[in-house]
Coordinates of all heavy atoms in Angstrom, one line a residue:
G1 N 124.5 166.0 90.3 CA 124.5 165.1 89.1 C 123.3 164.4 88.9 O 123.1 163.5 88.0
M2 N 122.2 164.7 89.6 CA 121.0 163.9 89.6 C 120.4 163.8 88.1 O 119.9 162.8 87.6 CB 120.0 164.5 90.4 CG 120.2 164.2 91.9 SD 118.8 164.8 92.9 CE 117.6 163.5 92.7
R3 N 120.5 164.8 87.3 CA 120.0 164.9 86.0 C 120.9 164.6 84.8 O 120.6 164.7 83.7 CB 119.3 166.3 85.7 CG 118.3 166.7 86.7 CD 117.0 165.8 86.5 NE 116.2 166.2 85.4 CZ 115.8 165.3 84.4 NH1 116.2 164.0 84.5 NH2 115.1 165.7 83.4
Y4 N 122.2 164.1 85.3 CA 123.1 163.8 84.2 C 123.5 162.3 84.2 O 123.2 161.6 85.1 CB 124.4 164.7 84.6 CG 124.2 166.1 84.5 CD1 124.6 167.0 85.5 CD2 123.4 166.7 83.5 CE1 124.3 168.4 85.5 CE2 123.1 168.0 83.5 CZ 123.6 168.9 84.5 OH 123.4 170.3 84.4
P5 N 124.1 161.9 83.0 CA 124.4 160.5 82.8 C 125.5 160.0 83.8 O 126.3 160.8 84.3 CB 125.0 160.5 81.4 CG 124.6 161.8 80.8 CD 124.4 162.8 81.9
A6 N 125.4 158.7 84.1 CA 126.4 158.0 85.0 C 127.7 158.2 84.4 O 128.7 158.2 85.2 CB 126.0 156.5 85.2
S7 N 127.8 158.2 83.1 CA 129.2 158.4 82.6 C 130.0 159.6 83.0 O 131.2 159.7 82.9 CB 129.2 158.2 81.0 OG 128.3 159.3 80.5
L8 N 129.2 160.6 83.4 CA 129.7 161.9 83.8 C 129.8 162.0 85.3 O 130.2 163.1 85.8 CB 129.0 163.1 83.2 CG 129.0 163.1 81.6 CD1 128.1 164.2 81.1 CD2 130.5 163.5 81.2
G9 N 129.4 161.0 86.0 CA 129.3 161.1 87.5 C 127.9 161.3 88.0 O 127.7 161.5 89.3
G10 N 126.9 161.3 87.2 CA 125.5 161.5 87.5 C 124.9 160.3 87.8 O 125.3 159.2 87.9
S11 N 123.4 160.4 88.2 CA 122.7 159.3 88.6 C 121.4 159.1 87.6 O 120.6 158.2 87.9 CB 122.2 159.4 90.0 OG 121.6 160.8 90.3
E12 N 121.3 160.0 86.6 CA 120.3 159.8 85.6 C 118.9 159.8 86.3 O 118.0 159.0 85.8 CB 120.5 158.6 84.8 CG 121.8 158.6 84.1 CD 122.1 157.4 83.2 OE1 121.2 156.7 82.9 OE2 123.2 157.1 82.9
A13 N 118.7 160.6 87.3 CA 117.3 160.6 88.0 C 116.4 161.5 87.2 O 116.8 162.2 86.3 CB 117.5 161.2 89.3
D14 N 115.2 161.4 87.5 CA 114.1 162.2 86.8 C 113.8 163.5 87.5 O 114.3 163.8 88.5 CB 112.9 161.3 86.4 CG 112.2 160.8 87.8 OD1 112.6 161.3 88.8 OD2 111.4 159.9 87.7
T15 N 112.9 164.2 86.9 CA 112.4 165.6 87.5 C 111.8 165.4 88.8 O 112.0 166.2 89.7 CB 111.6 166.3 86.5 OG1 112.2 166.3 85.2 CG2 111.3 167.7 87.0
V16 N 111.0 164.3 88.9 CA 110.3 164.1 90.3 C 111.4 163.9 91.3 O 111.3 164.5 92.4 CB 109.5 162.9 90.1 CG1 109.0 162.5 91.6 CG2 108.3 163.2 89.3
C17 N 112.4 163.2 91.1 CA 113.5 162.9 92.1 C 114.2 164.3 92.4 O 114.6 164.5 93.6 CB 114.5 161.9 91.6 SG 113.9 160.2 91.6
L18 N 114.5 165.0 91.4 CA 115.1 166.2 91.7 C 114.3 167.1 92.5 O 114.8 167.9 93.4 CB 115.5 166.9 90.3 CG 116.2 168.3 90.4 CD1 117.5 168.1 91.0 CD2 116.4 168.9 89.0
C19 N 112.9 167.2 92.2 CA 112.1 168.1 93.0 C 112.1 167.6 94.5 O 112.1 168.3 95.4 CB 110.7 168.1 92.5 SG 110.6 169.0 91.0
V20 N 112.0 166.2 94.7 CA 112.1 165.7 96.1 C 113.2 166.2 96.9 O 113.2 166.7 97.9 CB 112.0 164.2 96.0 CG1 112.3 163.6 97.5 CG2 110.7 163.7 95.6
A21 N 114.5 166.1 96.2 CA 115.7 166.5 96.9 C 115.7 168.1 97.1 O 116.1 168.6 98.1 CB 116.9 166.1 96.0
A22 N 115.3 168.8 96.1 CA 115.2 170.3 96.1 C 114.3 170.7 97.2 O 114.6 171.6 98.0 CB 114.8 171.0 94.8
E23 N 113.1 170.0 97.4 CA 112.2 170.4 98.5 C 112.8 170.2 99.8 O 112.7 171.0 100.7 CB 110.9 169.6 98.3 CG 109.9 169.8 99.3 CD 108.7 168.7 99.3 OE1 108.6 168.1 98.3 OE2 108.0 168.7 100.4
E24 N 113.5 169.1 100.0 CA 114.1 168.8 101.3 C 115.2 169.7 101.7 O 115.3 170.2 102.8 CB 114.6 167.3 101.3 CG 113.5 166.3 101.4 CD 112.7 166.5 102.7 OE1 113.2 166.4 103.8 OE2 111.5 166.6 102.6
L25 N 116.0 170.0 100.7 CA 117.1 171.0 101.0 C 116.5 172.4 101.3 O 116.9 173.0 102.3 CB 117.9 171.3 99.8 CG 119.0 170.2 99.4 CD1 119.8 170.6 98.1 CD2 120.1 170.2 100.5
A26 N 115.4 172.8 100.6 CA 114.8 174.1 101.0 C 114.1 174.1 102.3 O 114.1 175.1 102.9 CB 113.7 174.4 99.8
R27 N 113.5 172.9 102.7 CA 112.9 172.7 104.0 C 114.0 173.1 105.0 O 113.7 173.6 106.2 CB 112.3 171.4 104.2 CG 111.5 171.2 105.5 CD 110.8 169.9 105.5 NE 111.7 168.7 105.5 CZ 112.0 168.1 106.7 NH1 111.6 168.5 107.8 NH2 112.8 167.0 106.5
G28 N 115.2 172.7 104.8 CA 116.3 173.0 105.9 C 116.8 174.4 105.7 O 116.9 175.1 106.7
W29 N 117.1 174.9 104.4 CA 117.6 176.2 104.3 C 117.6 176.6 102.9 O 118.3 175.9 102.0 CB 119.1 176.2 104.8 CG 119.8 177.5 104.9 CD1 119.2 178.8 104.9 CD2 121.2 177.8 105.0 NE1 120.1 179.7 105.0 CE2 121.4 179.1 105.0 CE3 122.3 177.0 105.0 CZ2 122.6 179.8 105.1 CZ3 123.5 177.5 105.1 CH2 123.6 178.9 105.2
L30 N 116.8 177.6 102.5 CA 116.8 178.0 101.1 C 118.0 178.5 100.5 O 118.2 178.3 99.3 CB 115.5 179.0 101.0 CG 115.2 179.3 99.6 CD1 114.9 178.0 98.8 CD2 114.0 180.3 99.5
S31 N 118.8 179.2 101.3 CA 120.0 179.8 100.8 C 120.9 178.6 100.1 O 121.4 178.8 98.9 CB 120.9 180.5 101.8 OG 120.4 181.8 102.0
L32 N 121.0 177.5 100.8 CA 121.8 176.4 100.4 C 121.1 175.7 99.2 O 121.7 175.4 98.2 CB 122.0 175.3 101.5 CG 122.8 174.1 101.2 CD1 124.1 174.3 100.6 CD2 122.7 173.0 102.3
A33 N 119.8 175.5 99.3 CA 119.0 175.0 98.2 C 119.1 175.8 96.9 O 119.2 175.1 95.8 CB 117.6 174.8 98.7
A34 N 119.0 177.1 97.1 CA 119.0 178.0 95.9 C 120.4 177.8 95.2 O 120.5 177.6 93.9 CB 118.8 179.3 96.3
S35 N 121.5 177.8 95.9 CA 122.8 177.7 95.3 C 123.0 176.3 94.7 O 123.6 176.2 93.6 CB 123.8 177.9 96.3 OG 123.8 179.2 97.0
A36 N 122.4 175.3 95.4 CA 122.5 173.9 94.8 C 121.8 173.7 93.5 O 122.3 173.0 92.7 CB 122.1 172.9 95.9
V37 N 120.5 174.4 93.5 CA 119.8 174.2 92.2 C 120.4 174.9 91.0 O 120.5 174.4 90.0 CB 118.3 174.6 92.6 CG1 117.7 174.9 91.2 CG2 117.5 173.6 93.3

């Protein structure tokens, strides 16, 4: 929900935040990161 409004259960984060999270997931395991993205 990082890129979605709080009213829908998201956190209204920006693209930079999403990239930080995606990078960390991929550093651990790209299969999980790819499905999550």
Side-chain angles (χ1 to χ4, degrees):
M2 290 186 72
R3 299 294 284 128
Y4 298 136
S7 61
L8 296 173
S11 55
E12 303 181 18
D14 59 16
T15 309
V16 170
C17 287
L18 181 62
C19 284
V20 169
E23 179 190 342
E24 285 300 303
L25 281 176
R27 186 170 68 93
W29 187 19
L30 188 57
S31 281
L32 177 61
S35 300
V37 167

